Amino acid sequence: MPFSEAAQRELQEIIQRYPDKRSAMLPALAIAQREQGYLTPEAYRWVAEALDTSPTWVASVASFYTMLRKEPAGRYLIQVCTNLSCSLLGAKPLLDHLRQRLGIDVGETTPDGLFTLTTVECLGSCATAPVMQVNDRYYEQLTPERIDEILAGLRREAGTCGDDRTAEGHS
Amino acid sequence: MDKFLLRNVGVPDSHHIEVYLSRGGYESWRRVLTSMQPQAVVDLVKSSGLRGRGGAGFPTGMKWGFVPQGVYPRYLVCNADEGEPGTCKDRVLMENDPHLVLEGIAISSYAIEAHLAFIYVRGEFTLSAERLEAAIAEAHAHGFLGKNILGSGYDLDIVVHRGAGAYICGEETALLTSLEGERGNPRLKPPFPATEGLYRKPTVINNVETLANVPLIVQYGAEWYKSMGTEKSPGIKLFALSGQVKRPGVYELPLGTPLRTLIEEYGGGTLENRPVKAVIPGGSSAPMLTAAHLDTPLDYESIAAAGSMLGSGAVIVIAEGTCIVSVVRRLIEFYAHEDCGQCIPGREGIAWLARILERIEAGQGREEDLDLLLDICDGLSGRSLCPLGDAVVGPVRSSLKHFRDDYLAHIRTGQCVQPVAVTIA
């Protein structure tokens, strides 16, 4: 899949913000990931060309950052924080609840491609623990009941092909 | 007490400039531009005693003063890569009061004579980044940013730069490496960023909360700031209270407020009123304290005297009944995951600690392992390329000092004897 004109323009605009175009590396990779869902060799070539560097260098940088995905994920990437503050308030039982509700283990994707379940290190939302992130959104002060509501909401949204972030607004 | 840093939090639409202006916003910026020379701003912040709120507590005005004379361009970088476990205060400011953060950045950039500032926001904080970008657009439209701001002849642009998931990028040299488009590897110091930072130019890196204090100090004065807190730790601080308490939250308090007041009055005490077992007073790297330390004032000196550090002001409360071995293992696995892999003490030492803690928790440890843990800590502390090595040893050493029995119980009985463990895997 080639990169869109809009993505190309967006990247060129972002490059202009920096005294050194190489600084646009992370934004460029974020655009590539948004376009393709995850980072491919094609993405590394695209970024390398825009930033006057090599695809190998871009891949090396990308490998450092956990939010830059090197393989596809489901439509909803569920990331459960398991760091201390969340674990002290029951991250483990919530993770088990998600495993059971989704029928998958951590690191797996549901057969319908809707959900990928992962754990994540501290999301910086410790005072509203336990917390998970679904795509760009935070869900805080979780309980098993709340998780059921969230999953139902996401399933409804997927059924109606709504925008990923309009189901409940920002929390 | 009155709120200053959080004064706009909870006000409807507090992130919009109209609301910010209606509550006195950008008056400090206007005053600075119309009546103060850059050096006067540096002197004001120096005399306020403001210290860095990211964790190190270094005097802010002094940090600004390290920028060498006559070397341009200079950059200001706002460290918004909030990632130290337990810490969630900067996000509150960025989401709810982005203009306060921008006003702080603007005044501080003027003070160090920078014309370009960056906000390095951790990648996960989408809403923070969006609110800051929208606020920057509003500030431009109102003439508070851009060229010839308010007719002063001073130019400033602020760029929001999003990270991509790497705790180590909160370390200031790693942040700069990352901002230059590389793997987020920390750099050896010296040179310090003030002399050789972003693009090898003089760069001041300040935490979000630190910068948010600056408009308040301009508005109310250095004497006002020093009238709160303690002599050596003046002013106000955001404390992120989390863990096993009834009312976790981000609370604004004068420095020097007793730990007990935060936990009991603000946090409502522990869950099920269980006794406090351990408190991590300054983010996950801060050595653990115990119930015996609850009357310690929350200021840099008092917490250090108690054997820990105030750090980012993130207070994590652990109640009786929770297994400390599982807590320490969880933290060390985090550090092992986040280590950059550059230096041998970091790369090998932290992974080694994690393996030993795993086997102790699984009931397969030996008593000699406790000395081995301390031995590895000696090899890490002060010997790693960046402060991560020292961050790791805090929980290990302090837990072995205060909660050795938890370790011995695992080793001697082969199992956990506490009702609650935070083990994930």
Side-chain angles (χ1 to χ4, degrees):
Chain A
M1 185 175 78
F3 289 91
S4 66
E5 281 291 319
Q8 198 69 253
R9 276 197 305 275
E10 185 182 356
L11 178 53
Q12 289 308 318
E13 190 275 318
I14 285 171
I15 288 172
Q16 302 307 315
R17 299 177 188 173
Y18 298 97
D20 180 337
K21 63 162 63 172
R22 202 71 65 84
S23 282
M25 180 73 79
L26 292 183
L29 287 164
I31 293 169
Q33 176 162 293
R34 197 186 63 213
E35 291 273 304
Q36 298 195 317
Y38 67 107
L39 295 173
T40 60
E42 190 187 4
Y44 298 143
R45 283 194 296 274
W46 182 69
V47 173
E49 195 168 313
L51 304 185
D52 287 337
T53 182
S54 73
T56 312
W57 176 257
V58 177
S60 163
V61 174
S63 74
F64 193 85
Y65 298 91
T66 53
M67 287 177 65
L68 299 174
R69 291 192 298 279
K70 290 84 195 176
E71 45 196 49
R75 172 162 176 179
Y76 298 110
L77 176 62
I78 301 177
Q79 304 190 83
V80 180
C81 176
T82 60
N83 211 297
L84 185 56
S85 298
C86 284
S87 288
L88 285 167
L89 296 180
K92 176 70 159 59
L94 290 173
L95 187 61
D96 290 341
H97 184 77
L98 276 161
R99 279 189 177 109
Q100 188 256 326
R101 281 288 189 267
L102 298 172
I104 54 173
D105 206 347
V106 171
E108 294 179 349
T109 301
T110 51
D112 59 5
L114 211 49
F115 298 105
T116 297
L117 178 63
T118 67
T119 57
V120 69
E121 289 298 356
C122 187
L123 287 173
S125 193
C126 317
T128 48
V131 179
M132 69 179 185
Q133 188 176 16
V134 182
N135 295 350
D136 281 349
R137 277 203 51 195
Y138 276 44
Y139 294 90
E140 301 162 52
Q141 295 171 318
L142 291 172
T143 60
E145 298 73 37
R146 178 90 180 101
I147 282 178
D148 289 345
E149 287 167 21
I150 293 162
L151 291 179
L154 294 173
R155 285 203 168 97
R156 269 198 307 277
E157 178 185 80
T160 57
C161 298
D163 176 69
D164 280 6
R165 297 178 48 192
T166 53
E168 293 184 60
H170 284 298
S171 55
Chain B
M1 68 170 262
D2 290 337
K3 287 180 178 173
F4 297 96
L5 287 165
L6 299 181
R7 62 182 168 182
N8 296 330
V9 176
V11 175
D13 292 324
S14 60
H15 55 286
H16 285 307
I17 198 165
E18 288 77 16
V19 175
Y20 189 67
L21 290 170
S22 75
R23 297 175 62 81
Y26 287 114
E27 282 308 311
S28 293
W29 183 214
R30 191 184 298 275
R31 185 193 303 181
V32 164
L33 281 175
T34 53
S35 68
M36 291 176 80
Q37 292 299 311
Q39 187 58 45
V41 182
V42 176
D43 292 342
L44 174 73
V45 170
K46 265 186 190 165
S47 67
S48 76
L50 175 65
R51 295 168 63 170
R53 303 297 193 226
F58 193 83
T60 304
M62 195 187 291
K63 197 176 198 179
W64 294 359
F66 290 154
V67 173
Q69 296 275 322
V71 186
Y72 299 90
R74 297 150 172 200
Y75 300 106
L76 185 103
V77 177
C78 171
N79 186 344
D81 194 42
E82 181 166 58
E84 174 85 358
T87 314
C88 52
K89 63 191 177 65
D90 296 337
R91 176 172 162 238
V92 171
L93 292 172
M94 291 188 285
E95 288 186 0
N96 295 286
D97 206 358
H99 285 287
L100 177 66
V101 178
L102 296 185
E103 189 173 5
I105 292 171
I107 296 168
S108 306
S109 296
Y110 177 84
I112 66 158
E113 299 176 70
H115 298 287
L116 184 57
F118 294 92
I119 311 176
Y120 189 107
V121 185
R122 70 173 289 179
E124 293 86 348
F125 283 178
T126 301
L127 185 58
S128 293
E130 289 174 351
R131 291 260 164 101
L132 286 166
E133 284 189 332
I136 288 169
E138 287 180 332
H140 270 280
H142 280 75
F144 295 123
L145 291 175
K147 299 279 180 212
N148 189 24
I149 299 167
L150 303 177
S152 65
Y154 176 72
D155 305 334
L156 177 66
D157 280 311
I158 302 177
V159 173
V160 173
H161 184 92
R162 294 183 64 179
Y167 163 76
I168 195 64
C169 292
E171 192 280 325
E172 61 179 13
T173 63
L175 185 153
L176 294 177
T177 316
S178 176
L179 183 48
E180 289 174 356
E182 298 187 21
R183 297 165 67 86
N185 285 336
R187 304 171 182 169
L188 276 175
K189 292 193 275 195
F192 288 89
T195 51
E196 208 173 288
L198 187 63
Y199 313 125
R200 302 198 170 270
K201 298 296 181 191
T203 304
V204 167
I205 304 160
N206 287 139
N207 169 261
V208 172
E209 182 190 348
T210 310
L211 293 164
N213 273 282
V214 173
L216 304 175
I217 292 167
V218 171
Q219 182 180 355
Y220 297 108
E223 289 308 314
W224 163 80
Y225 202 73
K226 285 191 288 192
S227 73
M228 300 175 291
T230 68
E231 190 188 342
K232 288 184 176 168
S233 299
I236 44 182
K237 178 84 190 81
L238 297 181
F239 291 98
L241 179 65
S242 71
Q244 293 163 328
V245 291
K246 292 195 181 84
R247 289 194 300 271
V250 176
Y251 298 105
E252 176 180 338
L253 298 169
L255 283 156
T257 302
L259 184 52
R260 187 188 298 281
T261 304
L262 175 67
I263 295 172
E264 294 181 1
E265 284 182 30
Y266 290 86
T270 54
L271 292 176
E272 298 158 10
N273 299 318
R274 284 185 274 159
V276 168
K277 182 171 187 176
V279 179
I280 300 174
S284 59
S285 318
M288 290 179 184
L289 299 176
T290 70
H293 298 108
L294 284 176
D295 292 314
T296 309
L298 286 161
D299 61 70
Y300 297 100
E301 288 69 33
S302 302
I303 295 291
S308 187
M309 60 182 194
L310 190 69
S312 60
V315 177
I316 307 173
V317 177
I318 299 158
E320 279 294 349
T322 302
C323 173
I324 294 295
V325 177
S326 73
V327 166
V328 176
R329 180 184 164 204
R330 188 67 276 279
L331 291 177
I332 300 310
E333 283 180 341
F334 163 73
Y335 288 114
H337 180 263
E338 299 296 338
D339 180 71
C340 80
Q342 267 195 111
C343 74
I344 294 169
R347 187 178 64 229
E348 304 299 328
I350 303 173
W352 196 6
L353 288 175
R355 286 200 299 276
I356 295 168
L357 288 162
E358 183 185 354
R359 80 171 176 235
I360 293 175
E361 202 196 355
Q364 292 154 7
R366 305 172 295 234
E367 291 201 21
E368 308 90 87
D369 282 342
L370 304 189
D371 285 338
L372 185 55
L373 287 173
L374 291 173
D375 201 31
I376 298 167
C377 286
D378 290 343
L380 261 168
S381 181
R383 291 181 166 83
S384 57
L385 197 148
C386 81
L388 192 81
D390 287 303
V392 172
V393 304
V396 178
R397 282 178 174 163
S398 60
S399 62
L400 281 164
K401 180 178 172 192
H402 298 304
F403 304 103
R404 204 176 179 89
D405 286 348
D406 276 32
Y407 287 92
L408 289 174
H410 272 270
I411 290 167
R412 290 175 183 163
T413 68
Q415 58 191 342
C416 185
V417 297
Q418 301 287 338
V420 180
V422 298
T423 316
I424 294 295

